[in-house]
Amino acid sequence: MIVRSLKDIEGTDRVVSADNWMSRRLLLRGDNMGFSLHDTIIHAGTSTEMHYQNHLEAVYCIQGKGSVTAVGTGEVFDIEAGTVYALDRHDKHVLTAESTMRMVCVFNPPLAGPESHDKSGAYPLIEEHDVTPTGTRR
Ligand code: 9YT
């Protein structure tokens, strides 16, 4: 069994930050669960366009308020604690945080560790031999 808490991963490579968010990657590919699990903070007042062309992602909001826009259709969905959105069609989307949002994110296939958005808003697929099992880039 794997037991791990946010304080165990503080200050390690499992914490990845970008301008609009900070992702604490509790479970990664090296944990062999078939998915990765992140506790992610989205900073208040930000809007982020994302397009996970290589991954499916489910995002469960546990704190804060905002909205997600499906770029393809223009639909806007309110997001608050207790709401999940699932990008089952690799949907291009914009996440807007009215207040600080805390999200539980699940990725399939699992992230390897250090992924951050590329110019198109995707995470690249990282080869097994390029990272250690704990997610540090070799
Ligand atoms: C909700 C979302 O996609 N935020 C960007 C960060 C990402 N989900 C991550 O790596 O935790």
Side-chain angles (χ1 to χ4, degrees), residues 21 23 25 38 40 42 50 52 57 59 85 95 105 107 111 117 123:
W21 50 264
S23 171
R25 298 181 172 167
H38 318 169
T40 297
I42 312 289
M50 294 171 267
Y52 293 119
E57 186 196 23
V59 181
Y85 64 88
L95 178 63
C105 307
F107 277 81
L111 297 200
H117 294 140
Y123 284 157

Side-chain angles (χ1 to χ4, degrees), residues 6 14 38 48 64 86 106 119 123 127:
L6 285 179
R14 284 174 177 268
H38 318 169
T48 311
V106 177
K119 278 203 196 91
Y123 284 157
E127 300 291 338

